[in-house]
């Protein structure tokens, strides 16, 4: 049976190859233990798997049941509080809300890890596992790193998320794409699956590929992975010259000016392209050369394939300027680098790229900023030296990205969302007014947040390595990951400031004030000239650079844009800090809040909405937009922006109450209800929190009562809340799971509702 191991318990036999700044606090790893599991546990696990399989087309998101089954058996959770169910027009009483909250908090306390964070699924994208499997396959490490149980669960996951038409989408809820279908088909084949496996599912995927234009129509990222594998020619790729890393920084196109995720993906891509690396041509690879194309492999027109992309994948079509750029690089630039002296320049560029790869590896303890760059960096280390220590240090960190649920084994979009979820959870629990009953939860969470703050900047010249300061920041996941993020730092700061107002005997000693100052310094350093906050760094280049975005599947990836969500979080954190520590950098904080609020107002659409870039979608951004303006001193009375925002949210309330937003809102930038106009507990919670913040209860509490009734009635028998549709997004077009939201936000919304609506004077 699979067991979730947390923190130092996750190290196992890999200790010699694992590095950590804080004894692995927050690390979460699944381990297969063949002798573990009672008959009751094993029966529950199999029932959960079968139920998902039977309903996979209707409910595409797993409910993290393997983790819940394990913890329920370990902690023997029971609740004596009765489940509350309200009739359609029944008044919402204080007793019903408090009972629901106590049941929710009791359950939520049981799934808190001993180190204080809440483990959970951060999967969703369907293009991550293939990169891992291809990398392990070409390096010969597949069976050494992934046991037969791991490989079986990967296959389970891929079969469970295959669409009815035989293809796979960009993410678990998306329609089939060439990118998703080819890469996941290849993954199954590399894992030994054949046409006859899974009731013909592999054959069905093969048919989908050929019917939609064959693998020549895969996106640029897919072309790169197939080239590495040897199932596609490098001449069919648009150039990614590593020499761009030798350019002077003042050029707007310098990769150091790009969004860090973008540059950290194209950094190893440029190395692999510059090397034209191809793995061993095995019988399976030779077979794939036949299977993936509608003509014999040697007859494929690779030059024509360079710019070919299936219509199902084309979210960001290449503009003309890109076609001209790629053609110039392909026909004029690249041929020069096969001869001296340009060949020596390429070698210098490749060495420079590897220096940056090693710097990133070492400063994230070989976790890397994300899963795509993680496996590419690992592959580059192997290409540079198959026996290198760097490659060996990469291997145990693969497990940090793997998560198992009833739908199988997935690769997460990060090494988890530990800090982010914990900071939100603290605020949600305190909002209920019941914190004195749950001090032990808050104490453990407080300890986790303390241990997760970044204590030092990265070493060396930060400008040379294109890094921002990080001392005092909080990351999205763990300290060992270490990348500083504006909104994570802000939410972490908000959480510890709230905890400092509670009795230390209950929640632990407050933060040292100097560490608070460090966090404030980071937040202030991240404000752009326009008042807005981007994610990891300042916005370093221009919006027009998006014209050279080569990733057909994603939007807005080239620079680190300022966002409403990040800006709002910064305002809220600084406003909270200012109340408790009014003298530190007072003038700068006041100016920062004032200009940030103007940015949020400027970003608001004419209909009163804000577009959500990190959650789905307009309800998410609406919550942040309203909260940010409120923290800056705006009210419903003195701010037309807040009035318009409230009107927008109220206009999207469903006829039966609540809110339910489809991921298509993100993709199409138009508010779209869930199919069947169903409410979603997370969207409903976000809208409630926004409206309560600016006095909806005094104007007309009816929408709030209806929403509260939906949340109360959605609670499950054990106090948990159901997992509904996916609620996270990145780069406009790819959805991602935030599994903790199903618990955090109903608790938070009902907590605010209880204190500020039902208990209001």
């Amino acid at each position: 049976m699979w067991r979730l191991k947390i923190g130092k318990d996750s190290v196992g036999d890999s200790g010699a190859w694992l590095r950590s700044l804080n004894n692995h606090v927050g690390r979460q790893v699944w381990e297969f233990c063949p002798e573990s599991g009672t008959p009751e546990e094993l029966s529950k696990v199999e029932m959960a798997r079968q139920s998902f399989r039977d309903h996979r087309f209707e409910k595409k998101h797993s409910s993290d049941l393997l983790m819940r089954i394990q913890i329920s058996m370990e902690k023997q959770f029971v609740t004596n509080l009765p489940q509350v169910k309200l009739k359609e027009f029944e008044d919402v009483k204080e007793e019903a809300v408090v009972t629901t909250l106590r049941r929710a908090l009791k359950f939520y306390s049981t799934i808190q890890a001993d180190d204080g964070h809440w483990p959970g699924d951060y999967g969703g994208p369907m293009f991550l596992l293939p990169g891992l499997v291809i990398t392990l396959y070409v390096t010969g490490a597949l069976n050494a790193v992934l046991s037969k149980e791991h490989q079986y669960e990967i296959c389970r996951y891929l079969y469970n998320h295959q669409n009815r038409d035989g293809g796979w989408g960009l993410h678990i809820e998306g329609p089939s794409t060439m990118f998703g279908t080819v890469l996941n088909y290849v993954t199954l084949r590399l894992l030994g699956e054949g046409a006859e496996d899974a009731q013909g599912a592999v054959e069905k995927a093969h048919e989908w590929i050929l019917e939609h234009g064959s693998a020549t129509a895969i996106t640029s990222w897919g072309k790169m992975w197939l080239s590495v594998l040897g199932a596609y020619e490098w001449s069919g790729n648009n150039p990614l010259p590593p020499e761009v890393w030798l350019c002077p920084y003042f050029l707007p196109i310098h990769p150091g000016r790009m969004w860090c995720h973008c540059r950290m993906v194209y950094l190893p891509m440029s190395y692999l392209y510059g090397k034209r690396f191809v793995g061993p041509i095995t019988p399976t690879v030779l077979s794939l050369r036949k299977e993936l194309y509608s003509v014999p492999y040697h007859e494929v027109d690779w030059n024509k394939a360079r710019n070919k992309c299936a219509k199902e994948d084309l979210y960001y079509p290449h503009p003309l300027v890109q076609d001209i750029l790629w053609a110039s690089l392909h026909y004029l630039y690249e041929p020069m680098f096969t001869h001296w002296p340009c060949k020596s320049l390429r070698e210098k560029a490749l060495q420079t790229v590897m220096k940056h790869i090693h710097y990133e590896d070492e400063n994230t303890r070989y976790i890397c900023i994300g899963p795509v760059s993680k496996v590419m960096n690992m592959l580059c280390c192997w290409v540079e030296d198959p026996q290198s220590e760097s490659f060996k240090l990469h291997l145990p960190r693969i497990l940090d990205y793997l998560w198992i649920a009833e739908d199988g084994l997935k690769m997460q979009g990060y090494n988890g969302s530990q800090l982010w979820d914990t900071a939100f959870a603290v605020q949600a629990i305190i909002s209920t007014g019941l914190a004195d009953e749950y001090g032990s939860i808050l104490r453990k969470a407080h300890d986790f947040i303390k241990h997760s703050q970044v204590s030092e900047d990265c070493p060396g010249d930060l400008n040379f390595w294109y890094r921002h300061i990080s001392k005092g920041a909080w990351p999205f996941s763990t300290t060992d990951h270490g990348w500083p993020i504006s909104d994570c730092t802000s939410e972490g700061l908000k959480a510890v400031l709230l905890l400092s107002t509670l009795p230390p005997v209950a929640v632990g000693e407050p933060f040292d004030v100097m560490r608070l100052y460090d966090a404030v310094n980071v937040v202030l350093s991240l404000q752009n000239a326009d008042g807005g906050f981007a994610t990891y760094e300042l916005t370093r280049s221009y919006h027009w650079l998006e014209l050279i975005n080569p990733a057909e599947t994603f939007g807005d990836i080239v620079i680190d844009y300022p966002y409403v969500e990040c800006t709002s979080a910064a305002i809220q954190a600084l406003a909270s800090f200012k109340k408790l520590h009014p003298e530190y950098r007072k003038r700068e904080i006041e100016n920062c809040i004032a200009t940030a609020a103007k940015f949020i107002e400027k970003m608001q659409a004419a209909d009163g909405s804000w577009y959500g870039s990190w959650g789905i979608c307009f309800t998410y951004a609406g919550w942040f937009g309203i909260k940010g303006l409120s923290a800056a001193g705006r009210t419903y009375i003195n701010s037309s922006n807040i009035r318009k925002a409230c009107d927008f949210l109220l206009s999207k309330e469903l006829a039966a109450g609540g809110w339910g937003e489809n991921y298509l809102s993100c993709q199409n930038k138009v508010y779209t209800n869930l199919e069947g106009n169903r409410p979603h507990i997370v969207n409903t919670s976000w809208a409630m929190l926004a409206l309560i913040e600016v006095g909806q209860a005094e104007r007309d509490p009816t929408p709030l009562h209806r929403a509260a009734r939906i949340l109360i009635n959605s609670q499950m028998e054990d106090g948990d809340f159901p997992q509904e549709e996916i609620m996270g997004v990145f780069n406009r077009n790819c959805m991602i799971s935030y599994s903790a939201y199903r618990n955090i936000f109903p608790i938070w919304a009902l907590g605010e509702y209880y204190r500020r609506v039902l208990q209001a004077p």
Side-chain angles (χ1 to χ4, degrees):
M1 182 171 174
W2 290 95
R3 291 290 183 189
L4 178 63
K5 303 293 182 74
I6 300 293
K8 60 184 179 181
D9 293 337
S10 70
V11 174
D13 298 330
S14 303
W17 296 102
L18 281 171
R19 298 174 177 177
S20 178
L21 297 173
N22 60 1
N23 203 19
H24 303 285
V25 170
R27 188 172 191 244
Q28 45 193 34
V29 168
W30 285 92
E31 181 180 306
F32 186 75
C33 306
E35 304 302 322
S36 71
T38 65
E40 182 183 358
E41 280 182 293
L42 294 170
S43 175
K44 286 183 176 180
V45 167
E46 287 309 312
M47 286 175 62
R49 287 170 172 163
Q50 189 59 50
S51 178
F52 185 89
R53 179 71 182 165
D54 291 343
H55 303 96
R56 66 190 185 279
F57 295 126
E58 295 78 43
K59 186 177 180 182
K60 299 186 177 184
H61 203 301
S62 65
S63 296
D64 245 352
L65 292 182
L66 267 63
M67 180 192 75
R68 282 162 161 76
I69 290 168
Q70 174 183 326
I71 291 173
S72 68
M73 299 300 288
E74 291 173 350
K75 299 190 177 182
Q76 295 296 313
F77 166 72
V78 292
T79 179
N80 298 319
L81 294 171
Q83 186 174 10
V84 178
K85 292 294 181 183
L86 301 176
K87 296 178 181 177
E88 185 176 356
F89 298 107
E90 185 177 352
D91 289 343
V92 183
K93 305 288 189 182
E94 286 189 28
E95 181 183 0
V97 178
V98 172
T99 299
T100 302
L101 284 170
R102 286 196 170 111
R103 294 177 79 252
L105 290 169
K106 177 66 175 174
F107 174 83
Y108 203 44
S109 70
T110 66
I111 60 172
Q112 185 182 28
D114 289 340
D115 68 5
H117 85 280
W118 279 267
D121 176 0
Y122 191 60
M126 290 299 298
F127 58 90
L128 302 178
L129 274 173
L132 172 63
V133 171
I134 290 171
T135 295
L136 293 177
Y137 185 85
V138 301
T139 58
L142 181 62
N143 294 323
V145 174
L146 299 179
S147 67
K148 67 178 187 299
E149 290 83 12
H150 283 93
Q151 295 182 39
Y152 185 84
E153 290 298 328
I154 290 174
C155 292
R156 184 198 305 276
Y157 180 73
L158 297 184
Y159 288 135
N160 273 333
H161 291 287
Q162 187 177 23
N163 291 328
R164 290 182 191 273
D165 62 7
W168 285 270
L170 185 63
H171 54 88
I172 56 174
E173 293 188 11
S176 298
T177 62
M178 189 64 75
F179 186 34
T181 305
V182 169
L183 288 187
N184 286 299
Y185 174 83
V186 166
T187 300
L188 288 170
R189 294 287 289 110
L190 295 180
L191 293 175
E193 298 293 286
E196 70 283 357
D197 290 304
Q199 292 80 50
V202 176
E203 181 59 30
K204 197 171 182 182
H206 179 238
E207 291 171 359
W208 192 98
I209 293 167
L210 296 183
E211 288 171 1
H212 291 79
S214 86
T216 56
I218 198 172
T219 61
S220 57
W221 284 23
K223 295 181 198 299
M224 186 279 307
W225 278 122
L226 293 180
S227 299
V228 163
L229 181 62
Y232 189 97
E233 293 299 308
W234 278 110
S235 59
N237 289 258
N238 279 318
L240 289 172
E243 291 76 31
V244 69
W245 286 88
L246 301 178
C247 292
Y249 184 76
F250 67 77
L251 293 177
I253 61 168
H254 190 283
R257 293 182 174 275
M258 295 177 180
W259 182 41
C260 53
H261 275 285
C262 181
R263 73 171 179 267
M264 287 301 170
V265 166
Y266 285 102
L267 174 73
M269 273 191 189
S270 71
Y271 183 82
L272 296 170
Y273 176 82
K275 284 281 189 180
R276 302 297 199 278
F277 170 76
V278 179
I281 305 302
T282 66
T284 301
V285 173
L286 289 173
S287 182
L288 285 169
R289 287 183 172 185
K290 296 177 182 177
E291 296 166 27
L292 294 176
Y293 304 98
S294 53
V295 298
Y297 188 76
H298 67 276
E299 294 182 10
V300 174
D301 185 339
W302 298 111
N303 184 45
K304 185 177 179 182
R306 279 190 308 110
N307 292 311
K308 193 174 180 183
C309 181
K311 68 180 189 306
E312 291 81 4
D313 296 63
L314 202 56
Y315 183 71
Y316 183 80
H318 289 177
L320 178 62
V321 66
Q322 262 198 63
D323 293 337
I324 295 171
L325 173 64
W326 303 136
S328 301
L329 290 172
H330 180 74
Y331 290 113
L332 303 177
Y333 182 87
E334 279 299 317
M336 295 190 297
F337 283 85
T338 59
H339 307 289
W340 187 90
C342 293
K343 193 173 182 180
S344 60
L345 183 64
R346 171 136 299 178
E347 285 303 316
K348 181 181 178 182
L350 291 171
Q351 291 170 13
T352 299
V353 166
M354 281 308 303
K355 287 179 183 178
H356 284 277
I357 287 174
H358 289 312
Y359 185 85
E360 159 70 352
D361 291 347
E362 291 162 10
N363 285 287
T364 59
R365 276 50 63 186
Y366 291 83
I367 296 169
C368 300
I369 194 172
V372 177
S373 57
K374 158 68 183 173
V375 294
M376 286 190 193
N377 281 14
M378 182 170 69
L379 177 57
C380 290
C381 290
W382 187 86
V383 173
E384 183 186 42
D385 178 5
Q387 304 304 319
S388 69
E389 182 178 271
S390 297
F391 179 69
K392 294 171 185 175
L393 287 164
H394 262 292
L395 293 175
R397 284 298 190 182
I398 291 170
L399 300 179
D400 294 52
Y401 280 98
L402 305 183
W403 187 262
I404 291 183
E406 66 271 23
D407 58 342
L409 186 153
K410 62 204 73 177
M411 193 169 192
Q412 301 184 107
Y414 228 70
N415 64 317
S417 52
Q418 295 91 319
L419 184 281
W420 181 251
D421 293 339
T422 303
F424 272 158
V426 165
Q427 296 174 71
I429 293 166
I430 293 174
S431 79
T432 66
L434 304 173
D436 56 330
E437 299 179 29
Y438 300 95
S440 62
I441 311 176
L442 293 172
R443 176 184 285 272
K444 288 198 295 183
H446 199 180
D447 286 343
F448 177 78
I449 296 173
K450 287 177 181 177
H451 287 125
S452 298
Q453 189 182 28
V454 179
S455 59
E456 297 293 339
D457 290 331
C458 288
D461 182 353
L462 297 183
N463 290 329
F464 178 82
W465 299 109
Y466 316 115
R467 291 297 186 96
H468 198 82
I469 64 169
S470 52
K471 182 182 179 182
W474 274 281
F476 184 72
S477 56
T478 62
T479 303
D480 284 339
H481 182 285
W483 273 85
I485 310 179
S486 63
D487 54 354
C488 298
T489 302
S490 298
E491 297 299 341
L493 181 57
K494 285 166 61 183
V496 297
L497 290 170
L498 273 174
L499 287 162
S500 73
T501 65
L502 299 178
V505 68
V507 301
E509 292 299 319
F511 253 52
D512 179 84
V513 70
M514 296 307 296
R515 293 177 67 182
L516 296 179
Y517 291 171
D518 288 340
V520 169
N521 294 343
V522 171
V523 174
L524 289 173
S525 75
L526 285 165
Q527 187 173 37
N528 288 298
D530 63 1
F533 285 75
T535 55
Y536 294 80
E537 298 158 343
L538 292 166
T539 303
R540 296 174 175 177
S541 199
Y542 305 98
H543 288 212
W544 57 258
L545 210 62
E546 204 65 37
L547 286 170
I548 62 168
N549 170 9
E552 303 88 344
T553 305
F554 307 112
D556 293 352
I557 70 165
V558 179
I559 66 170
D560 201 348
Y561 294 90
Y563 297 101
V564 168
E565 300 101 305
C566 298
T567 306
S568 168
I571 292 173
Q572 294 175 60
L574 293 174
S576 297
F577 175 82
K578 182 169 169 282
K579 289 177 184 176
L580 297 174
H581 303 273
E583 297 307 316
Y584 185 73
R585 300 186 70 173
K586 179 180 179 181
R587 182 65 57 85
E588 292 157 282
I589 289 173
E590 289 173 348
N591 290 340
C592 176
I593 291 173
T595 54
K598 290 178 182 176
F599 172 83
I600 291 177
E601 291 172 336
K602 182 180 69 177
M603 293 295 288
Q604 189 178 34
D607 64 1
S609 68
W610 287 280
Y611 176 82
S613 297
W614 304 104
I616 298 173
C617 169
F618 295 96
T619 46
Y620 183 68
W623 171 50
F624 272 103
I626 285 174
K627 284 285 289 185
L629 292 181
S630 175
R634 312 295 201 267
T635 67
Y636 187 87
I637 293 172
N638 69 20
S639 170
S640 61
N641 297 88
I642 285 182
R643 291 194 296 273
K644 287 197 301 180
C646 290
D647 289 343
F648 175 82
L649 286 176
L650 291 170
S651 74
K652 302 304 178 185
E653 185 193 16
L654 298 169
W659 288 259
E661 201 172 351
N662 195 302
Y663 78 82
L664 293 172
S665 290
C666 303
Q667 184 177 303
N668 301 330
K669 300 186 180 181
V670 176
Y671 192 107
T672 307
N673 285 335
L674 288 172
E675 188 176 350
N677 293 328
R678 292 173 289 106
H680 192 296
I681 57 173
V682 176
N683 296 127
T684 297
S685 298
W686 289 334
M688 280 182 73
L689 287 165
L691 293 169
I692 290 171
E693 175 67 23
V694 286
Q696 183 63 35
E698 292 101 62
R699 296 186 296 276
D700 177 14
T702 304
L704 303 176
H705 296 324
R706 286 196 290 254
R709 193 180 297 114
I710 287 168
L711 297 184
I712 290 168
N713 287 341
S714 71
Q715 190 175 43
M716 299 160 68
E717 188 176 354
D718 59 0
D720 199 359
F721 287 92
Q723 178 63 59
E724 298 176 328
E725 286 81 0
I726 204 162
M727 275 290 110
V729 64
F730 61 92
N731 299 131
R732 306 292 188 242
N733 194 39
C734 191
M735 309 308 132
I736 195 162
S737 303
Y738 284 84
S739 299
Y741 283 9
R742 67 195 263 198
N743 299 100
I744 291 170
F745 286 106
I747 290 171
W748 199 341
L750 287 173
E752 293 286 311
Y753 175 78
Y754 169 59
R755 287 190 309 103
R756 300 176 65 174
V757 180
L758 296 185
Q759 288 195 320

